[in-house]
């Protein structure tokens, strides 16, 4: 019998997660909550998925429930539902602390995770806390899963979602430069995106190589890469990353404290 997975709160992230799961032949049976009616209806029609009559019905029917409401609405939306001890509730809401989720879904097991939209293509680097085999099996349908030892490191690692999103702006900037200098728009877009994708692939493929080794392999004295790198460093194009991530992390911690 297939595992039944409910999605409580069917917004844009939920739609990417559904698309990621639907790529697999061994996907679970997916049931959608009525919240987010337009998105839920589209997913239901596209993939022949059931829409539960209510959130209560959804929880009663499912073994695993993905909690995908807007973060400010999460605790209110999941409180008072008929949770069971044999269920796993996996939050994908950024910034909502685990203690609050645990109280709201008791006696079910509460888990935190944070996929990104690349779940749609099976490439979401998803943070998980605490380690849980049920959650891991499900989330690995959407990409690699990284379990953290405590909630503090989970919050830290989850900033990767910001990195993922900001990289879109980097790709857009490079593509725009290509286009302004004469490349056809589709070619410019594809080259910029492929370069970043290939860069990440090489980092993952060669863990034996330090970052200094990979950088200096191309950015040796007198090369165009070295010239470009020095120009970025001079203009704060690299050091600015730490400031940006610091600000994102500090804001995340503030939100997290308010939901404990």
């Amino acid at each position: 019998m297939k595992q039944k997975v409910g999605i409580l709160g069917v917004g844009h992230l939920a739609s990417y997660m559904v698309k990621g799961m639907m790529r697999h032949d061994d996907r679970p049976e997916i049931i959608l909550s009525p919240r987010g009616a337009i998105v839920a209806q589209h997913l239901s029609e596209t993939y022949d998925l059931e829409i539960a009559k209510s959130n209560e019905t959804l929880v009663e029917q499912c073994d695993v429930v993905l909690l995908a409401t807007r973060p400010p609405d999460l605790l209110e939306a999941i409180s008072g539902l008929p949770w069971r001890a044999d269920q796993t509730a996996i939050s994908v809401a950024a910034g909502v602390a685990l203690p609050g989720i645990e109280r709201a879904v008791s006696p079910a097991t509460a888990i935190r995770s944070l996929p990104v939209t690349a779940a749609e293509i099976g490439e979401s680097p998803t943070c998980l806390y605490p380690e849980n085999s049920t959650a891991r099996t499900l989330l690995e349908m959407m990409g690699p899963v990284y379990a953290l030892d405590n909630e503090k490191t989970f919050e830290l690692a989850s900033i990767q979602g910001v990195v993922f999103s900001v990289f879109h702006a980097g790709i857009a900037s490079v593509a725009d430069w290509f286009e302004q200098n004469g490349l056809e728009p589709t070619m410019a877009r594809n080259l910029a995106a492929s370069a970043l994708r290939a860069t990440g692939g090489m980092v993952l493929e060669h863990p034996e190589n330090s970052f200094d080794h990979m950088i200096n392999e191309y950015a040796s004295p007198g090369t165009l890469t070295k010239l470009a790198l020095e120009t970025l460093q001079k203009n704060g194009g690299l050091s600015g990353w730490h400031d940006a991530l610091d600000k994102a992390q500090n804001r995340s911690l503030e939100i997290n404290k308010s939901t404990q």
Side-chain angles (χ1 to χ4, degrees), residues 120-177:
E120 176 183 356
I121 59 172
E123 293 191 17
S124 169
T126 301
C127 296
L128 176 68
Y129 173 71
E131 177 67 90
N132 178 276
S133 59
T134 298
R136 174 175 287 277
T137 298
L138 181 65
L139 295 169
E140 282 182 342
M141 290 186 170
M142 308 168 207
V145 174
Y146 301 92
L148 285 303
D149 293 332
N150 55 67
E151 194 156 28
K152 182 178 180 179
T153 55
F154 173 86
E155 290 292 344
L156 174 61
S158 294
I159 297 299
Q160 60 86 19
V162 173
V163 176
F164 169 79
S165 299
V166 172
F167 274 159
H168 285 98
I171 294 172
S173 180
V174 174
D176 181 62
W177 183 87

Side-chain angles (χ1 to χ4, degrees), residues 51-123:
I51 299 178
K53 293 181 180 179
S54 65
N55 288 344
E56 289 79 4
T57 302
L58 179 83
V59 171
E60 288 173 346
Q61 288 180 301
C62 294
D63 308 300
V64 178
V65 181
L66 289 166
L67 311 177
T69 70
R70 291 177 62 254
D73 303 331
L74 180 66
L75 296 182
E76 181 179 356
I78 63 178
S79 296
L81 298 177
W83 298 102
R84 305 186 306 273
D86 62 344
Q87 286 177 307
T88 304
I90 307 171
S91 171
V92 299
V96 183
L98 188 63
I101 301 169
E102 288 176 327
R103 290 191 294 269
V105 304
S106 179
T109 298
I111 303 294
R112 288 190 68 186
S113 68
L114 197 60
V116 296
T117 56
E120 176 183 356
I121 59 172
E123 293 191 17

Side-chain angles (χ1 to χ4, degrees), residues 7-16 35-36 39-40 43 68-69:
I7 301 181
L8 198 160
V10 187
H12 77 282
L13 179 57
S15 70
Y16 290 115
R35 185 188 181 283
V39 178
L43 292 172
T69 70

